[in-house]
Amino acid sequence: MKPFPLLLAVLLFGIGTSCTDRTDRHQKALEELDRIIERRDAYGRTKNLRIAARRDELAAAKDPRKRIALAEEIYKEYYNYDIDSAYHYARRMLALAQSYGDGTRINCARVYLAKTVLNGGMYGEAFRILHQVDTTRLAPANKSEYYNVYRSYLSKQLSGADPALKARYRDSLQFYNVLRIRNLPEGSVPRKELEAMMYCKAGEARKALDLLLPEYEAGIEDTHLRAMVAYRLALIYEQLGDADRRKEYLIRATADDLRTPVREGMALYTLAGLLLEEGDVERANRYINCSMEDALYCNYRSRMQQSSEMVQQIAGAYIDSLDAKRRAMGYVTIVVSLLVVVLLGSFFTILVYYRKIRQISAARLEMNRQLRELNEHIRSINGELRDANNIKDEYVGHYLSLCSRYIVRINDYRKLLLKVYKDGDCDALIRELRTKNPADAEYKEFLAIFDETFLHLFPDFVAHVNRLMTDAERFSPRQPRTLNTELRILALIRLGVTHSAKIAAILNCSVATIHTYRAQLRNAAIGDRNAFDDAIRRIDIAGAEPLQTA
């Protein structure tokens, strides 16, 4: 492969893998966000318990300064959660400060009150209250908040104004932003967040990112402040064109808003719009409904208007989606109908072939069964042939040697008799013939060789026979490598000599004796006595393959 195509393939693989990783990461984050939304009531109960504790402290407090401070604290808890309650405690803080005569807290309460009524949509009332504020009696943090409220008032007033009028007041808005920043502590996170916003408006998003991202990555303990910074970072990444990071920080900001919890956060609303653009209509609908519920609960009018517009967009997307699904279902129905026809034709064709295959399979199974039976028969015959061959090889060698010795001994005996006859001593010849019977000695040797040869072939023969006999009738040879008459009869049966006359001839005894011994052996056998001889014939040769029997 050439270098350029290889490099291109690696690059495409890396891009595909990266996209998959990002998709999986966002999917997991959204699933976690869904779980947070499901637990949103639990976060709300925790916040309500915290507020209830502060209200109890306020009811029990006697010191005017502490009562003002508690009213302010309850206001801050309610501001992003319930505007009507926040308005109530801002007025209560103002009343307490006026009764105590604390000018600083009076002006601070007026700023809070103006901020609350402004977000409630009462712009004229907000402007009237702002004009009552004496900025010289405000602390720097409250002064920064005053300029923020005034800037917000101008911004809302100019939201539907003529573009020329907006351009005239743009410098004023910028001026109030600068004043707001100057009254925040140097190096604080809120100040950096506002400075980042100013950089973005000036088109310097990269500077805003360099200023704010290290603060977020270093960790911000305040959950609401962390959510605000994350939302600002999402706006910065949007300006930089990084859609992946924008979505990531929107999810983070939304999660922190829900954990705080606040009900006026823009992150959930913005995330719902982004998901709608991406085609995730179902999740976008769930998120915007959640945002609408928060806006209704919080009585946040501008957010209710925005959410209603988003709901209309989602409804339109749902209608478009349903139309697309209806058209797709029509196409699918046609395709499925064609497939059903094809499948039915295929089914009947397969059914015909299946019947033929079953017939062929049945014939094949019958042939296999016959072949197995034939193979078993052949293996049985082969086993018997191997058995007979081993016995033949063993006994032929021994009996050839025995016959050779018999010929030599008969010749020696003939010479002995001839010598006695030549000496003319007829009496001595008669005595020789009467006193010695060489056949007895030869027969003993024959039996000894028979025993040794047989036990060489079947070393465990006696043990096998004993397993077929009752305990009282089992054999225990007196001498090793020897057999008694009963065992020799059984040995000849194992070698295939089954006729009693032949056994009697080989063992040099009467047929009646053989019949008696065989009857005794059958009577001493365990189990079926008629199968005793067959069991003896199935005893295998040592070292040979087991004899296959039917």
Side-chain angles (χ1 to χ4, degrees):
M1 183 180 286
K2 295 182 180 180
F4 180 72
L6 177 62
L7 180 61
L8 181 60
V10 172
L11 181 61
L12 290 174
F13 177 76
I15 292 173
T17 304
S18 176
C19 291
T20 303
D21 291 342
R22 288 199 299 269
T23 302
D24 292 342
R25 187 178 71 251
H26 290 328
Q27 187 61 32
K28 291 179 180 178
L30 288 171
E31 290 172 359
E32 177 61 26
L33 185 58
D34 291 340
R35 288 189 286 271
I36 292 174
I37 290 175
E38 291 175 359
R39 297 193 299 269
R40 158 171 93 118
D41 291 340
Y43 294 125
R45 285 193 296 272
T46 302
K47 186 179 184 75
N48 289 331
L49 289 173
R50 187 168 61 245
I51 294 173
R54 296 293 180 272
R55 288 204 304 263
D56 292 341
E57 290 182 29
L58 177 60
K62 302 298 182 183
D63 181 46
R65 288 183 178 274
K66 185 175 182 181
R67 289 172 61 82
I68 294 171
L70 286 170
E72 181 179 12
E73 188 175 346
I74 296 172
Y75 160 81
K76 290 179 179 179
E77 288 279 3
Y78 270 128
Y79 173 70
N80 295 310
Y81 193 69
D82 185 344
I83 287 182
D84 291 340
S85 297
Y87 175 78
H88 170 75
Y89 280 95
R91 290 190 63 84
R92 189 166 183 179
M93 176 183 173
L94 178 61
L96 288 170
Q98 287 174 340
S99 65
Y100 186 66
D102 189 338
T104 301
R105 310 312 294 170
I106 290 172
N107 287 283
C108 178
R110 285 173 177 167
V111 172
Y112 292 154
L113 196 59
K115 182 179 178 181
T116 305
V117 297
L118 179 66
N119 287 329
M122 296 182 289
Y123 303 145
E125 180 67 10
F127 183 72
R128 185 188 66 79
I129 296 173
L130 285 173
H131 270 279
Q132 295 176 356
V133 175
D134 182 2
T135 57
T136 61
R137 303 288 300 273
L138 288 174
N142 298 126
K143 192 177 292 187
S144 174
E145 190 64 33
Y146 168 81
Y147 291 126
N148 178 45
V149 175
Y150 206 89
R151 181 200 62 79
S152 298
Y153 166 76
L154 291 177
S155 178
K156 291 182 184 298
Q157 287 293 101
L158 297 174
S159 60
D162 183 73
L165 185 62
K166 288 182 180 180
R168 186 190 311 172
Y169 282 96
R170 187 173 296 120
D171 292 338
S172 297
L173 294 174
Q174 186 77 0
F175 173 71
Y176 281 115
N177 276 329
V178 171
L179 290 177
R180 181 185 175 191
I181 292 171
R182 285 179 180 174
N183 284 278
L184 289 174
E186 185 74 27
S188 64
V189 175
R191 178 165 180 162
K192 289 185 178 181
E193 192 264 337
L194 291 175
E195 289 173 349
M197 180 189 69
M198 296 288 287
Y199 279 131
C200 287
K201 288 184 177 180
E204 297 178 339
R206 181 57 60 182
K207 283 186 177 180
L209 183 65
D210 294 338
L211 176 67
L212 202 55
L213 185 59
E215 293 293 332
Y216 185 86
E217 292 180 344
I220 302 172
E221 292 184 5
D222 187 287
T223 309
H224 182 51
L225 181 58
R226 185 169 66 241
M228 293 174 60
V229 173
Y231 182 72
R232 181 63 60 190
L233 286 170
L235 297 178
I236 293 171
Y237 280 119
E238 181 183 12
Q239 191 169 349
L240 291 173
D242 191 340
D244 178 65
R245 291 290 185 181
R246 178 199 176 197
K247 186 174 182 180
E248 176 184 347
Y249 280 92
L250 274 178
I251 295 172
R252 292 185 179 187
T254 303
D256 283 334
D257 275 344
L258 292 169
R259 291 191 188 100
T260 300
V262 298
R263 296 183 181 271
E264 55 80 40
M266 281 292 294
L268 183 60
Y269 171 82
T270 308
L271 181 60
L274 177 61
L275 293 175
L276 181 62
E277 293 174 3
E278 293 179 350
D280 192 352
V281 180
E282 183 178 353
R283 184 174 267 124
N285 180 60
R286 192 162 61 250
Y287 287 2
I288 199 62
N289 284 334
C290 179
S291 178
M292 177 72 81
E293 289 175 7
D294 287 345
L296 289 172
Y297 184 92
C298 187
N299 198 18
Y300 204 99
R301 296 184 181 180
S302 60
R303 185 61 41 73
M304 285 189 285
Q305 181 179 358
Q306 292 171 340
S307 299
S308 63
E309 293 173 357
M310 181 73 72
V311 168
Q312 292 176 1
Q313 296 178 15
I314 291 174
Y318 261 121
I319 293 172
D320 295 339
S321 175
L322 289 174
D323 290 339
K325 288 180 180 179
R326 191 178 300 110
R327 289 192 298 271
M329 284 297 295
Y331 298 142
V332 169
T333 302
I334 295 172
V335 173
V336 168
S337 300
L338 294 174
L339 287 175
V340 168
V341 173
V342 173
L343 287 174
L344 286 174
S346 302
F347 172 75
F348 287 113
T349 304
I350 290 171
L351 185 61
V352 172
Y353 280 108
Y354 174 71
R355 289 176 178 174
K356 292 181 179 180
I357 290 171
R358 284 191 63 183
Q359 294 173 357
I360 295 171
S361 297
R364 187 186 64 185
L365 290 173
E366 178 62 23
M367 291 177 63
N368 288 337
R369 186 187 63 78
Q370 294 175 0
L371 285 173
R372 282 195 298 271
E373 291 178 356
L374 184 58
N375 286 333
E376 291 293 332
H377 183 61
I378 290 172
R379 277 196 290 271
S380 176
I381 293 173
N382 286 337
E384 293 174 359
L385 288 174
R386 282 193 298 271
D387 191 354
N389 189 55
N390 289 334
I391 294 172
K392 179 199 71 174
D393 291 343
E394 191 73 23
Y395 275 97
V396 164
H398 283 288
Y399 282 107
L400 285 176
S401 176
L402 184 61
C403 289
S404 176
R405 288 202 298 273
Y406 283 168
I407 292 171
V408 173
R409 290 178 183 175
I410 290 171
N411 189 43
D412 291 340
Y413 189 59
R414 183 186 60 80
K415 288 179 182 180
L416 175 62
L417 293 178
L418 183 60
K419 181 177 180 297
V420 173
Y421 175 74
K422 285 181 180 180
D423 290 340
D425 191 353
C426 293
D427 294 333
L429 178 61
I430 292 171
R431 284 194 305 271
E432 184 67 28
L433 291 172
R434 288 179 176 175
T435 56
K436 292 185 179 180
N437 187 3
D440 295 338
E442 298 303 333
Y443 190 71
K444 289 181 179 179
E445 184 178 358
F446 163 76
L447 292 178
I449 292 172
F450 175 82
D451 294 348
E452 182 179 356
T453 304
F454 184 81
L455 290 175
H456 176 71
L457 288 170
F458 302 93
D460 298 327
F461 181 74
V462 178
H464 282 294
V465 171
N466 283 335
R467 283 197 287 269
L468 301 173
M469 310 292 288
T470 59
D471 294 340
E473 299 298 333
R474 289 180 178 175
F475 297 101
S476 178
R478 296 178 180 178
Q479 295 181 359
R481 311 299 294 174
T482 60
L483 300 172
N484 57 22
T485 303
E486 292 94 330
L487 289 174
R488 289 189 187 108
I489 293 171
L490 296 177
L492 288 170
I493 292 173
R494 175 59 187 88
L495 296 175
V497 183
T498 57
H499 290 87
S500 297
K502 291 182 179 181
I503 295 173
I506 293 172
L507 297 182
N508 194 24
C509 58
S510 66
V511 176
T513 302
I514 299 301
H515 280 305
T516 302
Y517 278 131
R518 293 184 74 172
Q520 291 175 352
L521 289 170
R522 288 193 189 98
N523 292 333
I526 299 173
D528 188 1
R529 297 172 182 176
N530 295 324
F532 179 71
D533 289 354
D534 291 334
I536 294 296
R537 282 195 293 272
R538 286 196 295 270
I539 295 175
D540 295 334
I541 297 175
E545 294 182 9
L547 183 61
Q548 299 292 331
T549 59

